[in-house]
Amino acid sequence: MRKRWLSLAAGVAVLAATVVPAAPALAAPTFKVPFPCNQSWSGQTRSDHSPANAIDFNRTDDLGDPVVASAPGTVDVVTNLGDTSYGKYVRINHGGGYTTYYAHLNAFNVSVGQTVGYGRVIGYVGTTGGSTGPHLHYEQRLNGSSVKIKFNGAQALYWGTKTYTSDNGCAGSNTGAGTVNTAGAPLTVRSGPGTGYSAVGTVADGAGVTIHCQTTGTTVTGTYGTSSIWDRIGSGRFVSDAYVYTGYDGYIPSVPRC
């Protein structure tokens, strides 16, 4: 396979204005490989990459191949830096200080403010900016700082090249995607499915969440009406579905009951 990797030695400073403000760290979303279900891609990490924790994804004849959101969230950057640095890139805000970057795109398929979930095509592999050939430059960041990448909770290979097979957007993945909508205030996270359980944190308005299962609990009236459904978004972490947009009026068909 012909390998084509990027060089970004002069580009990082250009992105300084887009760094996300610091925020308290919450549990990371369940990130998945940023390509459609069952596709296999070669991902390379190297210590001289900029930033070093990024992955360059490549496969044969990949120019124009779709790139998908690696976790639910809200698109907050869609821009073109021209012939330098990241070129055409998208950033997704996943809440809790977590963001992902998708750089050197050939074209965009989303706009700022758009809510996306697993498997949503956000753009197409390209060679814009400081790229030496078609590939995807991918990053996960926490409070603006690049962190070592994880897929399904497992850390990517550092340092070297590894083949990653995507389960992003696959039918029967048994998780759902939602977006918190409280009209401004943070949403309280409870240790169980009800307002009588202890508060264990908050989720920011507009944040994307991964829903692992749903169950019945305290009836709550919120942005999306009155509901007794509660969404488990992590171990011992529940939020009222009345404040979460999932695209369904009631239970999500693909998500199991807790």
Side-chain angles (χ1 to χ4, degrees):
M1 180 181 71
R2 187 159 51 110
K3 294 182 179 179
R4 302 157 294 186
W5 310 110
L6 97 148
S7 175
L8 284 174
V12 173
V14 179
L15 295 170
T18 69
V19 171
V20 178
L26 298 175
T30 300
F31 293 111
K32 295 182 179 292
V33 175
F35 298 103
C37 178
N38 292 327
Q39 288 190 2
S40 293
W41 287 73
S42 178
Q44 185 194 63
T45 56
R46 58 187 187 277
S47 58
D48 63 349
H49 206 172
S50 181
N53 289 326
I55 294 181
D56 280 349
F57 282 105
N58 193 222
R59 71 175 187 173
T60 303
D61 298 325
D62 53 11
L63 180 64
D65 283 355
V67 176
V68 305
S70 59
T74 302
V75 176
D76 64 357
V77 174
V78 177
T79 195
N80 185 0
L81 299 179
D83 294 331
T84 62
S85 187
Y86 289 17
K88 293 181 179 179
Y89 81 98
V90 169
R91 185 178 73 187
I92 299 176
N93 189 329
H94 305 282
Y98 289 94
T99 55
T100 49
Y101 285 66
Y102 311 77
H104 305 306
L105 299 175
N106 184 53
F108 304 121
N109 196 51
V110 287
S111 56
V112 171
Q114 186 171 344
T115 298
V116 295
Y118 290 122
R120 177 65 164 85
V121 176
I122 62 170
Y124 303 91
V125 173
T127 184
T128 58
S131 170
T132 59
H135 69 280
L136 176 70
H137 172 96
Y138 173 81
E139 298 176 31
Q140 292 174 5
R141 295 194 185 192
L142 175 59
N143 296 330
S145 297
S146 176
V147 295
K148 287 189 174 180
I149 289 167
K150 292 183 178 180
F151 295 123
N152 294 320
Q155 184 175 291
L157 173 66
Y158 289 89
W159 309 95
T161 301
K162 177 181 175 179
T163 297
Y164 297 87
T165 299
S166 176
D167 68 347
N168 195 332
C170 296
S173 60
N174 294 328
T175 59
T179 302
V180 172
N181 183 357
T182 60
L187 178 61
T188 300
V189 179
R190 301 283 179 178
S191 62
T195 54
Y197 288 87
S198 60
V200 292
T202 60
V203 180
D205 182 30
V209 293
T210 300
I211 301 171
H212 300 278
C213 63
Q214 296 179 298
T215 190
T216 301
T218 305
T219 299
V220 173
T221 299
T223 308
Y224 299 107
T226 300
S227 176
S228 61
I229 298 173
W230 284 72
D231 305 328
R232 184 173 71 79
I233 61 172
S235 178
R237 294 171 59 84
F238 290 81
V239 293
S240 170
D241 192 67
Y243 288 100
V244 181
Y245 177 76
T246 63
Y248 295 92
D249 185 12
Y251 287 102
I252 302 172
S254 62
V255 173
R257 302 287 181 93
C258 298

